[in-house]
Amino acid sequence: MTPNLHLWLIPVLPLIGAAINGLLGRRFSRQAVAGVALAFCGAAFAMALAVTIQFSSLPLPYTETLAHWIRAGAFHADFAFYLDQLSLVMLLVVTGVGFLIHIYAVDYMWEEGGFYRFFSYLNLFMFFMLTLILASNYLLMFIGWEGVGLASYLLIGFWFTKDSAASAGKKAFIVNRIGDFGFLIALFLLIKHFGSLDFEQVFRLVRPLSPEIAGAGLLTTVGLLLLVGACGKSAQIPLYVWLPDAMEGPTPVSALIHAATMVTAGVYMIARSHVIFERAPMALTAVAIIGTLTALIAATIGICQTDIKKVLAYSTISQLGYMFMACGVAAFSAAIFHLMTHAFFKGLLFLAAGSVIHALGGEQDMRNMGGLRHKIPWTFWTMTAATFAIAGIPPFAGFFSKDAILFQAFISPHGSWVYWAIGVFTAFLTSFYMFRLWFLTFFGECRGAESSGNDQHSQTGGSVPHGHGAVHESPKVMLVPLVILAVLSVCGGWVGSERFDRFLAPVFHLGQAQSMLDDKPSPPMPATPEPKSEGASETVFTLISVSAAAFGLLLAWLLYLRRPQLPQEIAHALGGFYQAVLNKYYVDELYAILFVKPLVDGSTKILWHGIDQGVIDATVDNGADAARQVSDSVRHMQSGNLRSYAGWIALGAGVVIAYMIWVGAR
């Protein structure tokens, strides 16, 4: 007998917490608000652990239908949750890392106004994200997809009285809507051609189809439209511009939404739709190209950033590019492996950056830091673990997942040495800008005041927790999540890419087995070249990627610790190119010229001059003028002259008689 796991409780628990704090939190003490938020988020994590314990005994994939949702002719969509190896990994990452960030946020946000509102939004985000990853069909996934966009808007613009934060929230919302338009069109095509949005039913109908190797067909179109949606949510070119601005939100928001969970939704959606992409090679290639270019471009921009959170923002975009590259070469397991390790070390990097900002009274400019390793040692050592992990230094977690992506990018039949070469160069850049951050923040002499004296309000829109004074270590409530994530950043990759691949194999290598169950042999996949690893050892690829990371470390040490005057000289020598990178290749300015200004001006012309003045105002004004003219004409009939009245009566009677004669003649 199949056990009932009550999967619905996992997303519903945070929703209850969001409702309680949102409706009643204004009356609660801060302790009560924090207790509600942590209790319901922690309960969701506990439920996820309970599901993990029972996972091996479940018939997979496991579907739990709560209600019949939509019935429209032959089309139907159920409100149902879906559990397999892929959704289990995502479930543990979202609830586990999310719970740690909730703990951290209690102390970080303690003195903020709107404390109850913040945790209501945070719990609401957890509900939508868990709905997204547990959905059994694309329609329910889209509900979660849109919901995390809404929660992201609320959290990024949490300090809504600050113009930059309000603008960043609107920018994230609008850019994501552009991507969501592509996602929606893809869903309409699936309904039209397959009559369903249920994962199992759609994939069962797609598997017998031949790969579209001769040109673009239905699956290629659907794959490209899904990619548009993924680019918006996961901040890939050309829709990446919202994520750096999103750093205007509180640091726990940056850690949860823009590092560990929401931005990985696009990667998860592509991995979940792997059956479609594997039969659409052109769409798969587009995923790989976009991911590779995004990884490279974002890494180059990260080199020149001076705001500690902006460096991490562009690092997030670059690492998501790695995941897209892996998906594009059909190495879906490697992409999810990196998604998991990235959640550990990038979540830690943002939380540690928040600890640094907290210690300095709101300072975020790395040029005003330095010499902090002895003053905030717990923050230093935990951030060191995350820095070495993201740089790909063995035996830290990021080394294993990034190495798996680079190796697959070279040997996969869908891969190319070009992807691999750009990936290795990006690994060097990643190591360089992360160790640049490390050296500027913790080493050398302190370049700023011992205490900035600025309150967090001047920096991020709120007030810094626990007041000001000398540089000080964060309280234990903030340090405990740092230590746990540091341990995961060190050993989270030790499971190994091969073991991880075997665990996810039932999801990503289901084609033949499912076809045998359906008694429908799968069509032969296109002929693929022999693996490109002949004569080359995986050890060689590992040594190259590690060497790239080591070279980045040494160069950062030379430029920012040994010879700190060199960066300025190099920037001066590079001239215009340095200015272009410093200004993020002027992409925001270009978008403003091409899209924002014309749309705003066009909207003003159409909405204000065309509709408001030309239709609404004109209708009212012209109606009044017409009434005045009619009344002016009619009033002359009321002259007070009896002979005039008699004449009008005779004229009226004549009209009536003429009408009756005309009707009678017909």
Side-chain angles (χ1 to χ4, degrees), residues 65-112:
T65 302
L66 300 182
H68 298 307
W69 184 17
I70 295 176
R71 292 290 186 271
F75 174 80
H76 67 273
D78 292 333
F79 203 94
F81 293 128
Y82 184 85
L83 182 69
D84 61 2
Q85 290 82 354
L86 176 58
S87 52
L88 179 68
V89 171
M90 294 295 297
L91 188 63
L92 291 173
V93 167
V94 171
T95 56
V97 176
F99 181 53
L100 291 175
I101 294 173
H102 272 68
I103 295 173
Y104 176 96
V106 168
D107 204 284
Y108 191 89
M109 301 294 292
W110 188 259
E111 295 183 5
E112 295 294 340

Side-chain angles (χ1 to χ4, degrees), residues 292-575:
T292 304
L293 291 179
T294 302
L296 175 63
I297 292 172
T300 59
I301 297 175
I303 290 174
C304 298
Q305 298 300 303
T306 56
D307 185 309
I308 190 170
K309 287 177 66 176
K310 286 291 181 69
V311 175
L312 298 179
Y314 282 103
S315 172
T316 297
I317 297 171
S318 183
Q319 295 303 305
L320 289 165
Y322 268 112
M323 299 176 208
F324 270 66
M325 181 201 296
C327 289
V329 299
F332 300 103
S333 294
I336 300 302
F337 189 25
H338 196 58
L339 183 156
M340 180 186 74
T341 61
H342 178 264
F344 301 151
F345 58 70
K346 184 54 65 64
L348 173 56
L349 283 168
F350 270 110
L351 296 186
S355 183
V356 170
I357 295 167
H358 161 83
L360 297 177
E363 182 61 69
Q364 294 184 205
D365 194 327
M366 296 184 298
R367 294 171 295 184
N368 297 327
M369 299 179 186
L372 295 177
R373 68 185 187 279
H374 299 305
K375 298 173 183 177
I376 47 175
W378 284 93
T379 300
F380 166 69
W381 286 111
T382 53
M383 198 166 192
T384 297
T387 302
F388 276 74
I390 192 174
I393 304 293
F396 294 85
F399 159 74
F400 296 96
S401 56
K402 187 179 294 185
D403 189 60
I405 290 176
L406 293 176
F407 185 61
Q408 289 296 326
F410 190 91
I411 71 164
S412 169
H414 299 279
S416 166
W417 68 269
V418 177
Y419 301 152
W420 173 82
I422 295 176
V424 170
F425 182 64
T426 303
F428 154 71
L429 294 177
T430 302
S431 177
F432 173 73
Y433 67 67
M434 285 309 306
F435 282 109
R436 168 180 177 264
L437 179 152
W438 192 57
F439 286 123
L440 285 175
T441 303
F442 295 107
F443 290 83
E445 299 297 325
C446 180
R447 294 175 297 278
E450 185 71 12
S451 174
S452 68
N454 301 326
D455 65 354
Q456 187 88 342
H457 186 81
S458 65
Q459 297 290 330
T460 54
S463 57
V464 72
H466 311 295
H468 313 294
V471 176
H472 57 287
E473 185 61 275
S474 297
K476 292 181 180 179
V477 173
M478 292 170 62
L479 291 179
V480 168
L482 296 186
V483 173
I484 295 174
L485 288 172
V487 172
L488 292 172
S489 297
V490 174
C491 60
W494 293 358
V495 64
S497 60
E498 293 183 2
R499 189 177 294 113
F500 198 81
D501 183 66
R502 286 197 299 271
F503 177 72
L504 292 177
V507 178
F508 296 127
H509 306 295
L510 188 63
Q512 287 185 334
Q514 188 64 47
S515 295
M516 291 173 63
L517 289 175
D518 296 338
D519 293 325
K520 294 179 181 178
S522 230
M525 296 298 287
T528 55
E530 292 296 318
K532 301 171 214 169
S533 58
E534 286 186 4
S537 168
E538 185 175 355
T539 305
V540 174
F541 290 96
T542 299
L543 289 175
I544 293 173
S545 62
V546 172
S547 298
F551 184 55
L553 190 163
L554 290 174
L555 187 60
W557 171 81
L558 175 65
L559 295 180
Y560 295 98
L561 195 62
R562 184 71 174 174
R563 301 277 301 278
Q565 75 280 4
L566 275 180
Q568 193 66 30
E569 297 174 7
I570 294 173
H572 181 72
L574 291 175

